[in-house]
Amino acid sequence: MYQLKRAWAEIDLDAVEHNYREVRRLTGDKVKIMAVVKANAYGHGSSQVSRLLESCGADFFGVSNLMEGISLRRAGVEKPVLILGYTPLDSVRRLYEFDLIQTLLDRDYARLLAEAAAREGFTLNTHIKLDTGMNRIGFRDEGDGELISEVSRLCYHPNLKVSGIFTHFAAADEETPQAEAFTRAQHGRFMEVCRVLEENAYSLDIHCCNSAATVFYPEFHHSMVRPGIILYGCSPTGKPLKEISLKPAMKLMSAVELVKTVKKGEKISYGCTFEAPRDMRVASVPIGYADGYPRSLSNRGFAFARDKILPIVGRICMDQLMLDASEANVKPGDPVAFFGGDSPIEIETVAELTNTINYEIMCGVSRRVQRVYLRGGQICEVEDYTL
């Protein structure tokens, strides 16, 4: 066991590989897989996860922004990388230098990007984003009948190489008839454009499936899918999935730093929100909201140590929290699990207690928390972002 005696996240690379193989089982060999590794691979470490997935056969990678794309290139990733969001126009040369694919967000952005590429004297690789109902970014039907012709013209632009087209589903992870109807309507609007491009013999990567759609709508896989959270072993719905076997890859850990006795009636932590109902053994643990463990779990969250569930008592601090260890014979140095791995605490439980989603909990694990990578249950690498 890794023993920093502060806070660390164990990342099981065997679990990530298992999840990738499960996605491949769903898609078959003819569909490309774009592994979404934005937000530091949802907190798991984009460099390590991307190198692993590339070795497993991932065809593409999806990131949020330019710096995330450059980070993958510097980590040695060679497969195509799509920037799913905005890149400033004054950074066009870096897109070209690092061989990154830029999303065309709308008609004005596409025009300005093409002009910038023309001034620099090169052609940019791009994918067109269609807004079919998310109302976030993407080309949309403005009711003027120009959408398809605009998209078609881009495919001929001398400074833009359009190699793909995609959209994003807003409700594919909602299991209701209304959500399904909305998703199918989005797909219908998307395919109206894609069919015209196919009729005109454009050869493009067509992709619309996020994790939920990859699982629930196999008929929408087209030439490529974009799995994200399922690669890390979590359900996009927050509930178990029968269609795919997932193994959570992240386990958030810390270790007991101090054990003391608190007398009945004494208060614990900021605001004196907890009063000891009896004499208690209290363990202080060096992990807090600056590490990404939510303050909203004060007096309601719990941890796992010495085969016991230990309630959090008092307010969670920036760097520390306290546990009721009265029923557990813990001592300084003992490991404490907050979710994941072989602990009985699931990340979905933590998300439910904080009224959020599993995505936010894993992405929220901060960069001062070391990532400890495991293969075959053994440490193979440690990433310390603070060094």
Side-chain angles (χ1 to χ4, degrees):
M1 184 201 70
Y2 180 72
Q3 193 68 307
L4 174 68
K5 296 186 178 165
R6 200 191 173 280
W8 68 95
E10 294 179 358
I11 309 298
D12 186 345
L13 294 177
D14 293 332
V16 176
E17 180 171 351
H18 166 85
N19 299 330
Y20 172 83
R21 303 292 180 196
E22 279 291 286
V23 174
R24 178 55 74 196
R25 179 183 63 79
L26 288 182
T27 64
D29 293 333
K30 294 183 179 179
V31 176
K32 296 177 184 178
I33 294 177
M34 179 189 295
V36 179
V37 293
K38 62 182 180 178
N40 198 29
Y42 292 41
H44 292 68
S46 59
S47 296
Q48 293 80 1
V49 168
S50 298
R51 287 195 296 261
L52 169 69
L53 293 176
E54 188 169 54
S55 72
C56 291
D59 305 283
F60 253 81
F61 292 92
V63 298
S64 168
N65 58 64
L66 174 65
M67 297 316 296
E68 288 184 345
I70 292 174
S71 177
L72 289 197
R73 290 291 185 238
R74 288 177 172 167
V77 172
E78 297 179 352
K79 291 291 179 68
V81 176
L82 174 64
I83 297 175
L84 296 163
Y86 173 77
T87 296
L89 296 172
D90 59 6
S91 296
V92 164
R93 175 160 288 280
R94 304 192 82 186
L95 291 170
Y96 179 76
E97 289 172 347
F98 286 94
D99 190 22
L100 301 171
I101 304 171
Q102 174 58 44
T103 292
L104 301 179
L105 309 181
D106 69 1
R107 61 184 73 181
D108 290 334
Y109 183 68
R111 175 179 56 81
L112 293 170
L113 200 68
E115 291 173 357
R119 286 194 298 272
E120 294 282 351
F122 49 71
T123 298
L124 283 179
N125 197 350
T126 64
H127 281 202
I128 296 170
K129 173 71 176 291
L130 298 185
D131 179 4
T132 57
M134 183 77 172
N135 282 315
R136 191 170 58 180
I137 59 174
F139 287 74
R140 55 183 290 164
D141 187 350
E142 301 291 353
D144 54 9
E146 291 296 313
L147 176 61
I148 291 176
S149 59
E150 282 182 345
V151 169
S152 297
R153 283 195 296 271
L154 286 174
C155 294
Y156 284 112
H157 198 288
N159 293 102
L160 297 177
K161 176 188 175 184
V162 177
S163 58
I165 187 168
F166 70 107
T167 193
H168 188 66
F169 292 132
D173 57 348
E174 300 288 335
E175 299 177 278
T176 66
Q178 295 83 359
E180 180 179 351
F182 193 87
T183 300
R184 292 191 179 279
Q186 277 195 265
H187 183 259
R189 289 189 284 272
F190 179 57
M191 290 312 297
E192 286 178 10
V193 179
C194 292
R195 275 191 285 268
V196 172
L197 296 178
E198 288 177 331
E199 289 169 0
N200 286 278
Y202 297 121
S203 179
L204 304 178
D205 282 315
I206 297 174
H207 50 108
C208 59
C209 285
N210 53 13
S211 285
T214 298
V215 175
F216 298 140
Y217 298 91
E219 67 273 31
F220 296 169
H221 285 175
H222 298 299
S223 60
M224 186 155 62
V225 296
R226 301 191 309 270
I229 198 167
I230 54 178
L231 292 175
Y232 311 106
C234 290
S235 165
T237 68
K239 301 173 184 176
L241 301 174
K242 64 179 183 297
E243 297 87 351
I244 187 170
S245 168
L246 299 175
K247 294 182 179 180
M250 179 185 288
K251 182 180 182 182
L252 184 62
M253 299 287 295
S254 188
V256 175
E257 61 181 342
L258 178 70
V259 181
K260 56 186 172 294
T261 298
V262 173
K263 298 294 185 180
K264 179 180 178 179
E266 287 191 283
K267 307 293 195 299
I268 295 177
S269 196
Y270 289 116
C272 303
T273 60
F274 183 88
E275 181 178 311
R278 50 181 162 71
D279 288 359
M280 301 171 60
R281 293 182 76 245
V282 173
S284 294
V285 182
I287 187 172
Y289 60 78
D291 302 292
Y293 193 73
R295 186 176 182 270
S296 58
L297 290 172
S298 300
N299 291 311
R300 56 202 304 255
F302 41 85
F304 183 68
R306 291 277 180 170
D307 296 321
K308 300 285 186 181
I309 298 290
L310 309 182
I312 293 172
V313 290
R315 283 185 179 157
I316 294 170
C317 310
M318 183 181 290
D319 313 307
Q320 301 178 72
L321 54 76
M322 281 65 75
L323 302 172
D324 179 357
S326 301
E327 304 301 320
N329 186 30
V330 299
K331 61 183 185 300
D334 281 350
V336 180
F338 289 88
F339 63 74
D342 56 0
S343 81
I345 305 172
E346 297 180 343
I347 192 171
E348 286 76 18
T349 302
V350 176
E352 184 177 358
L353 285 171
T354 54
N355 194 32
T356 188
I357 53 177
N358 46 15
Y359 294 77
E360 184 175 359
I361 299 300
M362 64 175 66
C363 289
V365 176
S366 80
R367 293 178 69 85
R368 79 174 186 180
V369 175
Q370 289 187 327
R371 271 56 167 185
V372 179
Y373 294 92
L374 306 178
R375 270 294 209 177
Q378 301 298 313
I379 296 172
C380 61
E381 186 177 353
V382 176
E383 179 77 77
D384 188 337
Y385 300 112
T386 64
L387 296 179

